[in-house]
Amino acid sequence: MNDPRQTAREHLRPDEQLYWAGTSDPGKLFGPRDGFLVPFSLIWTGFVVSSLIGIPRSAGVGPELVIPVALTLVGLHLVFGRFLVKAHRKRTTVYAVTSRRAMIITPRGLREVPIGRTDRTITWSGGRRHCSVEWNAGDPRGAAALLGGAAVTRIYANTGLDGFFGPQLFAFWDVRDGDELVRALDRVAG
């Protein structure tokens, strides 16, 4: 998805106008939640790997390795893999604001919300370099409600872990031209 405007135009309805299209900044991989997740993932992985190293000496190779190996893979994803997932999403996701809806376009499909919804939060990073817009997820249902629902979804939002513990939030993350995005949202809301 090289040109966000062209990608968005391919999804327009006949009576719809495109007001803004853009992407996440692929260079912004760290966010506020990483202040906890990075040390936690390093401690987790260090603990699991050290316990895995001690197992073959004491018991040999067998079924008792399955859980430590699985936990090591989880740790490696926490340390490295989630950043690869996040970078891939930033390269392949297009955000768009039209006269009727906000759209998130990925290789897997399209998600949308009506543009008239005002239950959104706009957040600026330090120095107003990046803008993120989140729409309210509503009340969780099914497994998402059982596993913590919206709280869990928000904890892992935009970390590369989002989507593993429930649905991803409908949000535009780390947009560089945030002023243009906010102007387009204000234009259709007003």
Side-chain angles (χ1 to χ4, degrees), residues 139-175:
D139 292 330
R141 294 186 183 357
L146 181 64
L147 297 173
V152 171
T153 301
R154 288 197 186 290
I155 288 170
Y156 297 111
N158 197 29
T159 64
L161 296 173
D162 42 339
F164 289 105
F165 304 102
Q168 289 180 297
L169 289 177
F170 191 92
F172 294 0
W173 297 113
D174 305 322
V175 174

Side-chain angles (χ1 to χ4, degrees), residues 19-20 97 177-189:
Y19 291 144
W20 177 88
V97 176
D177 59 339
D179 290 323
E180 289 296 319
L181 169 59
V182 171
R183 270 195 286 280
L185 290 170
D186 290 344
R187 176 180 179 186
V188 293

Side-chain angles (χ1 to χ4, degrees), residues 100-152:
R100 298 178 60 196
R101 58 198 169 132
M103 298 186 292
I104 299 175
I105 305 163
T106 68
R108 299 174 102 192
L110 173 107
R111 294 173 42 209
E112 62 183 69
V113 297
I115 200 61
R117 284 183 50 181
T118 58
D119 60 340
R120 63 179 183 259
T121 303
I122 299 171
T123 308
W124 291 91
S125 68
R128 291 181 64 93
R129 287 186 306 263
H130 297 97
C131 175
S132 295
V133 180
E134 297 176 51
W135 280 263
N136 184 1
D139 292 330
R141 294 186 183 357
L146 181 64
L147 297 173
V152 171

